[in-house]
Structure formats: structure tokens, C-alpha cells
């Protein structure tokens, strides 16, 4: 589905033919204009006309239709093909969802193809139309603005993840942490979401570095400093995400260590109580053997004496275990 189609000349949006084939011819004829077409999850049939009119490479077209691509930059004879993965973070569900955004840049045209719900393009088009000095760089300006919007949102998502991670960390190290909670499962689930974010942001670093240097066709010379700024922001994102991943691993290790310490404490308590229970059991077992000649059987103080002995030994054991920190 075509979401929007417009011609931009001298940094301003202008009215053009309704048919994008005629609009492309008009943009190329003027020499200082370009056509921007936005598509949302197009079918193969819908994309056939775009492919034939713009001369897009079949491999890039296949990637744009099938989606499920890694962030990358491909250089073809007639166009550049950039794949981005915008992400969304649901605070309530605690899930990171990645969409896909493909950008074709060629001679006097730019085609954007979006898959998924994450959509920075509406705000990008509005923002660019208020920045004619940037739009004058041609189709490259759209590629820069889209990349900048995606990476800026990465920073917001990274901050949200960091905030939720601090809450999780507080819960893990709380005095009653782990009581009736699947803490390890929650940490592991959070780590999976961070990895999903990492798969979206990490591979984009290499394409952004390529766009900052010379030798990439269809890239306006004046736009390279803008891509350098995007690359710097992306480096910050990747460092942030890497830090989140390391911190999660440390939290998980600390939680497992806490669980081991608690289990050791529980085992020591159980062992201490078992030791105290063993003393009266042993004495009662001896006097339960029913031998004729046993000490103190005929004495009137025999029963209270044995009970007092049991209580005294248990009290001594309790005091000793208490001093050792077992109880």
C-alpha cells in the first residue's frame, strides 16, 4: 500500500502528478528534485510496478518483500539499499518488538518500505519538511533522517530498559527476594529482550560507518557529517545495550549465588535441628531395649533424671549452634 508520494524541489514539497511514474519523470527532468514514495507491507504484485519503474535490483526487492533481514547496506548499480530495524518497548509486558524498514535510494528517488508496527516515518516526513536546508541534500537526506529517527528511538528504548532493570535489580537484592517468585526466569526473560534489541542495533553500526566515508554512490557529500552524528549515537546505544547485557549476567550470577547461600543456611538449620532431635531419640532408644539390668530403672528419680538429661543436652546443642550462626 502506498502511504505517501511527493516530489521535493529545493528543499520544499511540491505538487506533482498523481501517477508516480510521471512524477519520477518530472523529478528527473528538473534535475534538482527527487521523488519520495512510502510503502507499507506491499504485496509482490503491488511492488512489481515500483520495481520496473525505478529499476530496483531483484535481490533487494526480494529482501524488501520477505522482510526478516539483518540491518545492512547493499550497493547496486542503480541504487542503494539500507535495512533498518526500528524497535518498540512495551513497559507493561516487558517485551521488545522489532519491525523492519527498508530504504532504496537512487537517481532522483527514494523508496521506503515498512514492515511491522514500529513507524518513525510519519514524524520523519513532517520534520524533514520543516528543514529545507537538509532536504536540499536530495534522497540522501531522507536516508539520514530515517536512520536518525530509528537510532534516536533506540536511545529512548535503552533508557526505558535501564529503568526497568534497576527495578528488577532492587527486587533481586531485597531481603525477601525470591520468596514465591520465579526471579531467575524473569531475569532470563529480560535478557532475551535485551538480546532482541541488540540484534536490531548492533549490526547497524557497520552500515552507518560506511555512509560516513567516501566511496558510497548516491550519497551527497554534505550529508556525511550527519551520518557521522548518527553513527556516534548508535555507538552510544550499543555500548549501553552491552552494559545492560553484562549487568543482567551479573545480576543472574548474584541471584544464583544468593540462592546457594540461602540453601546452605537452610541445610545448616535442618542439620542443627536434626542433631538436637537425635539426642533424645538415642537416649529413648537405649532405654527402650527392655533389658533387665539397666541403670536407674528402679530409682524413683530415674525418669525425671533422664528427661532432664535430654533437655540439658538439647539446650547445650541449641546454644552452640546459635553461637555458630546455624540457627
Amino acid at each position: 500500500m502506498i502511504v505517501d508520494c511527493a516530489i521535493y524541489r529545493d528543499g520544499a514539497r511540491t505538487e506533482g502528478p498523481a501517477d508516480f511514474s510521471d512524477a519520477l519523470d518530472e523529478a528527473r527532468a528538473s534535475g534538482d528534485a527527487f521523488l519520495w514514495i512510502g510503502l507499507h507491507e506491499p504485496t509482490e504484485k503491488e511492488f512489481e510496478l515500483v520495481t520496473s519503474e525505478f529499476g530496483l535490483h531483484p535481490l533487494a526487492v526480494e529482501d524488501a518483500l520477505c522482510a526478516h533481514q539483518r540491518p545492512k547496506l547493499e550497493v547496486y548499480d542503480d541504487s542503494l539499499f539500507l535495512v533498518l530495524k526500528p524497535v518498540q518497548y512495551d513497559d507493561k509486558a516487558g517485551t521488545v518488538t522489532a519491525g523492519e524498514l527498508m530504504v532504496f535510494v537512487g537517481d532522483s528517488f527514494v523508496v521506503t518500505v515498512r514492515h511491522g508496527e514500529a513507524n518513525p516515518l510519519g514524524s520523519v516526513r513532517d520534520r524533514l519538511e520543516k528543514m529545507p536546508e537538509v532536504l536540499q541534500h536530495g534522497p540522501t537526506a531522507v536516508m539520514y533522517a530515517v536512520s536518525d529517527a530509528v537510532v534516536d528511538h533506540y536511545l529512548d528504548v535503552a533508557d526505558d530498559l535501564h529503568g526497568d532493570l534497576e527495578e528488577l535489580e532492587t527486587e533481586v537484592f531485597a531481603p525477601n527476594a525470591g520468596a514465591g517468585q520465579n526471579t531467575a526466569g524473569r531475569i532470563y526473560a529480560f535478557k532475551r529482550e535485551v538480546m532482541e534489541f541488540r540484534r536490531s542495533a548492533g549490526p547497524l553500526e557497520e552500515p552507518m560507518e560506511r555512509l560516513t566515508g567516501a566511496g558510497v554512490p548516491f550519497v551527497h557529500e554534505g550529508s556525511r557529517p550527519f551520518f557521522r552524528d548518527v553513527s556516534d549515537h548508535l555507538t552510544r546505544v550499543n555500548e549501553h545495550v552491552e552494559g545492560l547485557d553484562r549487568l543482567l549476567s551479573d545480576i543472574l550470577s548474584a541471584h544464583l549465588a544468593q540462592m546457594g547461600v540461602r540453601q546452605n543456611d537452610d541445610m545448616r538449620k535442618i542439620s542443627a535441628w536434626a542433631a538436637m532431635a537425635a539426642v533424645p531419640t538415642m537416649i529413648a532408644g537405649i532405654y527402650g531395649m527392655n533389658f533387665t539390668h539397666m541403670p536407674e530403672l528402679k530409682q524413683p528419680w530415674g525418669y525425671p533424671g533422664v528427661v532432664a538429661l535430654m533437655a540439658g543436652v538439647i539446650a547445650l546443642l541449641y546454644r552452640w549452634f546459635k553461637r555458630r550462626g546455624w540457627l
Side-chain angles (χ1 to χ4, degrees):
M1 179 179 67
I2 296 180
V3 179
D4 199 355
C5 177
I7 296 176
Y8 294 86
R9 181 179 290 106
D10 293 329
R13 180 169 180 154
T14 61
E15 296 296 330
D19 183 79
F20 68 82
S21 299
D22 297 335
L24 178 61
D25 293 337
E26 180 178 323
R28 284 176 170 169
S30 64
D32 60 349
F34 69 93
L35 176 66
W36 180 3
I37 296 179
L39 303 171
H40 178 229
E41 296 183 355
T43 64
E44 184 175 354
K45 186 176 181 180
E46 291 172 337
F47 210 54
E48 281 180 358
L49 185 57
V50 176
T51 303
S52 60
E53 289 295 332
F54 292 88
L56 304 180
H57 197 279
L59 292 177
V61 171
E62 181 181 354
D63 289 344
L65 290 174
C66 297
H68 304 296
Q69 304 296 316
R70 296 176 72 252
K72 62 181 180 178
L73 176 66
E74 298 285 353
V75 179
Y76 298 103
D77 293 337
D78 298 324
S79 63
L80 285 179
F81 178 58
L82 176 66
V83 179
L84 304 160
K85 293 183 75 70
V87 297
Q88 285 183 328
Y89 180 57
D90 188 341
D91 286 326
K92 295 182 179 179
T95 56
V96 174
T97 305
E100 291 200 29
L101 185 57
M102 289 79 168
V103 183
F104 294 88
V105 172
D107 178 24
S108 302
F109 73 86
V110 55
V111 178
T112 54
V113 183
R114 177 171 61 91
H115 293 266
E117 297 302 321
N119 178 24
L121 292 182
S123 60
V124 167
R125 193 181 285 264
D126 293 338
R127 181 161 58 92
L128 267 180
E129 290 177 354
K130 298 175 183 178
M131 302 169 64
E133 69 281 1
V134 177
L135 270 176
Q136 287 179 350
H137 292 160
T140 310
V142 178
M143 180 180 284
Y144 150 71
V146 171
S147 303
D148 185 55
V150 170
V151 172
D152 283 349
H153 192 60
Y154 283 168
L155 290 169
D156 296 335
V157 172
D159 289 339
D160 292 341
L161 284 171
H162 187 78
D164 287 352
L165 181 57
E166 288 180 345
E167 295 179 5
L168 180 60
E169 185 179 17
T170 302
E171 293 177 13
V172 167
F173 293 103
N176 61 343
Q181 300 176 2
N182 184 19
T183 306
R186 292 175 58 211
I187 296 173
Y188 184 73
F190 201 103
K191 192 175 180 67
R192 285 178 62 89
E193 301 308 320
V194 171
M195 288 301 297
E196 178 68 23
F197 186 18
R198 196 172 188 174
R199 282 194 293 266
S200 299
L204 186 58
E205 195 162 356
E206 188 268 340
M208 288 298 107
E209 289 180 357
R210 288 177 61 188
L211 289 169
T212 61
V216 181
F218 306 107
V219 176
H220 192 279
E221 189 70 28
S223 65
R224 291 197 173 94
F226 295 95
F227 284 112
R228 192 175 301 115
D229 181 67
V230 176
S231 181
D232 290 342
H233 290 177
L234 185 60
T235 300
R236 286 175 49 199
V237 170
N238 287 326
E239 290 175 350
H240 200 163
V241 174
E242 186 177 351
L244 290 175
D245 188 57
R246 285 200 304 267
L247 185 57
L248 274 169
S249 298
D250 293 342
I251 291 174
L252 182 59
S253 299
H255 171 68
L256 295 177
Q258 280 185 326
M259 295 297 294
V261 170
R262 290 194 186 101
Q263 288 176 353
N264 289 336
D265 289 342
D266 292 341
M267 289 302 298
R268 287 193 299 180
K269 290 179 182 179
I270 293 171
S271 300
W273 288 111
M276 288 188 290
V279 172
T281 302
M282 180 188 68
I283 296 174
I286 292 174
Y287 278 91
M289 290 188 292
N290 297 321
F291 289 111
T292 301
H293 302 287
M294 295 188 70
E296 287 81 35
L297 285 180
K298 302 299 183 180
Q299 301 296 331
W301 51 265
Y303 173 75
V306 171
V307 172
L309 176 64
M310 293 180 183
V313 174
I314 292 174
L316 289 173
L317 287 174
Y318 181 84
R319 185 178 180 184
W320 185 74
F321 286 132
K322 196 74 173 177
R323 283 184 175 180
R324 295 291 300 271
W326 285 38
L327 293 173

